[in-house]
Amino acid sequence: MHLRFSSLASLTALAVTAPVWAQAETADAGPVTAHYAARILPADNAPLSSGVLVEQNGRILAIGPRSTTPVPDGATIVDHGEHWLTPGFVDLHHHVASGGGDINDMVQPINAELRTLDTIKPNTDLIHRTLSGGVTTTLFIPGSGTNISGFGALLKMRWGSSLDEMVIRELGAMKVAQGYNPERYSGDLGQTRMGSSELLTRALEKGRDYAAAWRAHETGKGDAPKFDPTLEQLRQVFDGKVPVLIHTAGARDCVATARMFRGVFDVKMILSHGSFDGWLAAGPLAEWQTPVNLGPRMYQFDRYGRMQGMCQAFWDAGCHNLSINTDAPVIPPEELQVQAAMAVRLGLPYEAALRAITIVPAQQIGMGDRLGSLTVGKDADFQVTAGDPLDPRFGPEKVYIEGTLIFRRGDVR
């Protein structure tokens, strides 16, 4: 018997009134595979019992009840029996795709020209371990040793494949760090929060003005600005093409981050961590509609020694644009499932926890139209489990990325 979370019953009830499931009107030529399962959790729709997911060319062609969803003639049938299908998990705070610790350059406090793309090692064992936890997409970001440490790459966890097959977006997000980690103790500017704020503000203003000058030029309203390689990547942030993920812990820094990135600079942003007493700032963050990516710490003891669930506190305050991370290898990369289970144990609704490691992080990183749920037209990234995917006793038996079996429990590496 699998673990029964309190709100799992409500998911079951939803299945009774589930809408008609979609099917693509047309499809390109290519082999078709139909996956049968006892239960399917799409993450953005009601659960489905005795369902089928039809895949073609790496995309979901159809999904619905087995009794009413047509399967094309000649399709390959894969019957998963009593197992469940769930979207591949998405982790937006990840440091383990380089095969080492080569993710901090500490000479300068602002490094907007750096990127992790150049350090990826597709065959590192940690990618295989990530897969073993059902995680199919990660944002491989630099560390937090400087205020702007560079840009992370958004990756599919295609262990052992080519780099081109792994990369979804070369510049997945810009990594910023506020408070604690980036404070520089060498006596230069940035040793204090005042200095760090000044450095970061100055860099963001330069990036904003540089991007605006290029936009003006491209619309015939001015001369081309002088090319600046230190601002080219930052320019994409202010053009709205790449979000900013900000390492932030503690109530004071959470408020400072939201003030800067929601109130001053008009960019897409995600506040990551929110740990320690960050939950005390959840109310103002909700008012600013701040996207949050919580973890690796799932709890905090309050001033009276009571255990406070981090995700529950943010959720109850109204921060519903909420995802969960491992900060791997701080938490092993295969344990994103455990992070979500812990959040449920500490008070986060089950549905919110499932969405927090599937569709919500996909939306936060700007890929909600392609990743994070089992929906017609999206990538066929899914995992097969023997039971509830948030029950730590049921790790993935199989993991598929774009319809291809990438991981199978028990295979020899």
Side-chain angles (χ1 to χ4, degrees):
M1 178 178 292
H2 60 74
L3 187 63
R4 296 281 185 178
F5 295 116
S6 59
S7 56
L8 192 55
S10 64
L11 282 176
T12 304
L14 280 173
V16 177
T17 57
V20 175
W21 292 81
Q23 180 171 0
E25 294 181 1
T26 60
D28 297 331
V32 176
T33 303
H35 294 267
Y36 294 160
R39 192 158 178 80
I40 299 177
L41 300 185
D44 63 352
N45 216 321
L48 181 65
S49 296
S50 189
V52 59
L53 181 151
V54 184
E55 173 271 327
Q56 184 180 38
N57 298 333
R59 301 290 184 269
I60 298 174
L61 178 64
I63 183 171
R66 204 180 309 179
S67 59
T68 59
T69 304
V71 174
D73 292 339
T76 298
I77 305 298
V78 180
D79 192 343
H80 298 287
E82 294 301 309
H83 286 61
W84 298 29
L85 299 189
T86 310
F89 297 151
V90 180
D91 193 341
L92 298 185
H93 200 127
H94 227 248
H95 301 294
V96 299
S98 66
D102 190 22
I103 55 172
N104 275 301
D105 196 291
M106 308 285 283
V107 177
Q108 301 180 105
I110 302 294
N111 300 286
E113 66 273 31
L114 302 184
R115 62 184 189 179
T116 61
L117 179 70
D118 307 301
T119 73
I120 296 167
K121 185 179 179 182
N123 64 342
T124 180
D125 187 61
L126 283 170
I127 292 177
H128 192 271
R129 284 181 54 186
T130 302
L131 269 173
S132 73
V135 180
T136 54
T137 302
T138 66
L139 178 63
F140 170 43
I141 52 177
S144 303
T146 57
N147 292 117
I148 298 180
S149 52
F151 283 71
L154 189 65
L155 306 174
K156 289 284 185 78
M157 295 287 93
R158 289 180 174 273
W159 178 74
S161 66
S162 70
L163 180 62
D164 287 343
E165 291 176 302
M166 290 182 63
V167 175
I168 303 173
R169 202 166 67 207
E170 292 184 356
L171 301 183
M174 183 172 79
K175 173 66 180 298
V176 166
Q178 294 265 66
Y180 302 108
N181 291 37
E183 293 169 11
R184 300 166 65 81
Y185 296 103
S186 57
D188 56 352
L189 185 62
Q191 181 173 344
T192 66
R193 278 175 170 77
M194 291 188 297
S196 294
S197 180
E198 166 63 15
L199 284 169
L200 189 54
T201 300
R202 188 187 305 169
L204 294 172
E205 287 175 342
K206 287 181 179 179
R208 177 196 61 196
D209 296 345
Y210 184 71
W214 272 108
R215 286 196 299 273
H217 170 68
E218 290 165 354
T219 56
K221 298 179 181 178
D223 295 332
K226 182 180 179 181
F227 178 80
D228 188 339
T230 68
L231 296 177
E232 274 298 301
Q233 294 185 159
L234 187 51
R235 173 183 166 191
Q236 295 203 35
V237 170
F238 286 96
D239 283 344
K241 298 177 181 178
V242 178
V244 185
L245 186 137
I246 307 105
H247 160 115
T248 309
R252 169 184 55 188
D253 294 316
C254 284
V255 171
T257 290
R259 183 188 300 118
M260 179 177 289
F261 290 95
R262 300 298 281 180
V264 177
F265 294 100
D266 183 20
V267 297
K268 298 175 181 178
M269 61 84 69
I270 308 159
L271 189 154
S272 193
H273 288 322
S275 299
F276 305 116
D277 63 351
W279 60 278
L280 296 173
L285 297 185
E287 292 179 9
W288 275 315
Q289 299 182 358
T290 309
V292 294
N293 172 244
L294 305 179
R297 183 182 293 269
M298 287 289 103
Y299 64 90
Q300 175 71 26
F301 292 103
D302 69 11
R303 62 187 299 180
Y304 303 107
R306 295 173 299 198
M307 182 180 285
Q308 173 63 56
M310 292 287 93
C311 293
Q312 180 210 10
F314 279 89
W315 182 268
D316 289 351
C319 291
H320 292 177
N321 189 348
L322 181 156
S323 62
I324 293 172
N325 71 65
T326 59
D327 194 10
V330 176
I331 300 295
E334 68 271 26
E335 292 188 5
L336 185 59
Q337 171 205 53
V338 179
Q339 292 285 87
M342 178 68 78
V344 173
R345 173 64 180 83
L346 294 172
L348 184 68
Y350 179 93
E351 299 93 328
L354 179 62
R355 290 173 59 84
I357 56 176
T358 53
I359 185 60
V360 172
Q363 293 169 338
Q364 289 178 338
I365 204 65
M367 298 297 293
D369 61 341
R370 180 176 169 184
L371 308 171
S373 66
L374 302 182
T375 304
V376 168
K378 289 192 178 185
D379 292 2
D381 298 349
F382 59 94
Q383 56 183 299
V384 181
T385 60
D388 187 334
L390 298 194
D391 185 336
R393 293 175 296 179
F394 297 125
E397 300 296 325
K398 297 178 181 179
V399 179
Y400 292 79
I401 294 181
E402 295 178 20
T404 299
L405 180 62
I406 300 294
F407 169 86
R408 180 167 50 195
R409 184 178 298 277
D411 280 355
V412 177
R413 293 199 298 274

